[in-house]
Amino acid sequence: MAGGGGGGNLKNMVIAFLVPLPSILFYLAFVRPQDDDPVSSWCAAHPLLLANALFLLNVDVLFWLVGLLLGNNWLIDLYWTVIPVMLLHYFRAHPAAVANAARSAAAVALTWVWSARLTHNYFRREGWQWGKQEDWRFSEMRGQYGKTWWWMSFFAVYLSQQVFLIGICLPMYAIHSSDQPLGIWDLVATMVCIAGVVIAYFADTQLHEFVTRNEKMKQLGEPTVPTLEDGLWGYSRHPNYFGEQLWWWGVYLFAWNLGQRWMFIGALVNSMCLGYVTVLVERRMLKQEHRAEAYRLYQKRTSVLIPWFRKSIPEPKEKET
């Protein structure tokens, strides 16, 4: 579903800037401890519970209602690039926060770089428009669930995102719950995070250039290339997903270093979810007749996720058309 013209683009931009205000205003007004205010005292004593409560009310409920009014769930896709930054600064500025200054600064810098990359890719993919279209997975579910989608979307699109986003951002809470001195694992975590961002950036850029070239070829009436097999895509069928997962496991290493090893559950659940998305993406590719045969050969030759050398499989003979 499209955002609809210049007016729709402006409307969606305004909505995008307004929707997080309830949480921001609540935080500014109530989270600072006050002796005579039990709400502020509770908020100051329970940073993780408060984060979940604000997510439930501001994202799950408010975004869902906005999605029902617009008939489009594009907001959550955009805010995937922003919510981790907001959660990081929430944990960092919370009255209960305690952290090593250098580790905290590294986490802030890395997360902003990650967010800038993902936000840039989102707008580049959407033609620099706000809410141009809904994620294709949500659009397909809308068709599958029909009349029940209005309430099913609350769980499938929004409540599930709370599990993923709060889970993968748990290490940001760990970073701001300990002032343990820096160690070698902080350096390892930093390098893994940087590697993840760099790989995802180049993979997404190569994909964008491939799609753009094919669109130009279509307009000229010339044959398009069915499958991207150049650059990083020659070593992995989903190098952008690999880079993204590398980033989140790098973030987890900060928590592992601080003794919060149980927080791997967030990165694990996210990786399992992305594994399922990978299956859906490949099924979708194989349903497209013009690229199905080439993609099957690509699957046989190329590693599914972790970049590796390609297998030598002979090209099938081209059929005369």
Side-chain angles (χ1 to χ4, degrees):
M1 292 187 179
N9 188 46
L10 179 60
K11 177 190 71 176
N12 289 341
M13 181 178 68
V14 172
I15 291 171
F17 277 103
L18 290 179
V19 286
L21 287 182
S23 289
I24 295 171
L25 294 176
F26 179 89
Y27 180 85
L28 294 176
F30 296 110
V31 81
R32 297 301 176 186
Q34 299 174 17
D35 294 336
D36 58 347
D37 186 350
V39 174
S40 293
S41 298
W42 185 89
C43 291
H46 301 89
L48 199 53
L49 287 176
L50 178 59
N52 276 279
L54 291 176
F55 199 112
L56 175 64
L57 296 173
N58 198 159
V59 179
D60 297 346
V61 175
L62 182 57
F63 280 31
W64 173 62
L65 292 174
V66 171
L68 291 179
L69 291 172
L70 297 177
N72 189 323
N73 296 298
W74 64 270
L75 261 178
I76 193 65
D77 204 22
L78 170 63
Y79 266 87
W80 247 92
T81 75
V82 178
I83 288 174
V85 174
M86 297 178 71
L87 282 170
L88 172 66
H89 283 283
Y90 161 81
F91 291 134
R92 187 171 186 253
H94 196 278
V98 54
N100 175 280
R103 183 182 294 114
S104 176
V108 169
L110 289 168
T111 306
W112 271 98
V113 170
W114 168 85
S115 178
R117 182 209 72 79
L118 198 57
T119 303
H120 172 263
N121 186 62
Y122 170 83
F123 281 109
R124 179 174 60 180
R125 187 186 69 217
E126 301 299 302
W128 307 102
Q129 295 185 47
W130 297 77
K132 179 182 178 182
Q133 59 189 353
E134 186 176 58
D135 188 295
W136 62 269
R137 291 162 293 186
F138 302 152
S139 297
E140 287 190 357
M141 285 191 282
R142 183 188 298 278
Q144 291 170 2
Y145 290 104
K147 293 181 180 179
T148 62
W149 177 241
W150 74 270
W151 64 268
M152 283 291 296
S153 61
F154 176 78
F155 300 95
V157 179
Y158 300 102
L159 196 61
S160 62
Q161 305 302 329
Q162 179 164 351
V163 175
F164 297 137
L165 281 165
I166 294 291
I168 56 180
C169 290
L170 282 172
M172 299 174 183
Y173 174 59
I175 290 169
H176 296 97
S177 301
S178 171
D179 57 359
Q180 177 179 312
L182 288 177
I184 187 63
W185 281 105
D186 291 299
L187 177 60
V188 173
T190 299
M191 298 307 293
V192 172
C193 286
I194 291 172
V197 170
V198 170
I199 290 171
Y201 170 77
F202 282 107
D204 278 331
T205 297
Q206 290 165 3
L207 178 60
H208 175 73
E209 291 172 350
F210 171 77
V211 171
T212 302
R213 282 196 304 270
N214 267 353
E215 288 176 350
K216 288 180 179 177
M217 299 299 278
K218 273 185 183 179
Q219 292 172 0
L220 295 171
E222 297 181 11
T224 59
V225 179
T227 307
L228 171 59
E229 301 187 47
D230 298 326
L232 292 171
W233 297 81
Y235 301 93
S236 167
R237 303 203 297 271
H238 304 278
N240 51 346
Y241 292 172
F242 173 74
E244 184 70 5
Q245 291 308 295
L246 198 60
W247 155 263
W248 287 115
W249 282 102
V251 172
Y252 163 68
L253 286 177
F254 283 108
W256 185 86
N257 181 50
L258 294 170
Q260 301 293 341
R261 300 183 180 183
W262 65 273
M263 290 184 178
F264 80 92
I265 192 67
L268 178 62
V269 170
N270 192 53
S271 292
M272 291 172 64
C273 176
L274 200 59
Y276 178 62
V277 170
T278 299
V279 173
L280 294 180
V281 169
E282 299 212 343
R283 285 178 183 171
R284 194 172 186 231
M285 296 289 284
L286 292 172
K287 287 179 182 178
Q288 301 175 36
E289 291 184 8
H290 70 285
R291 61 169 35 129
E293 186 177 346
Y295 199 79
R296 287 192 189 94
L297 182 61
Y298 181 54
Q299 286 177 313
K300 292 177 183 178
R301 285 175 167 176
T302 315
S303 169
V304 61
L305 188 66
I306 300 174
W308 194 246
F309 298 104
R310 305 183 75 185
K311 297 177 182 177
S312 297
I313 296 176
E315 292 270 4
K317 293 182 180 179
E318 292 185 5
K319 297 179 181 178
E320 292 185 6
T321 57

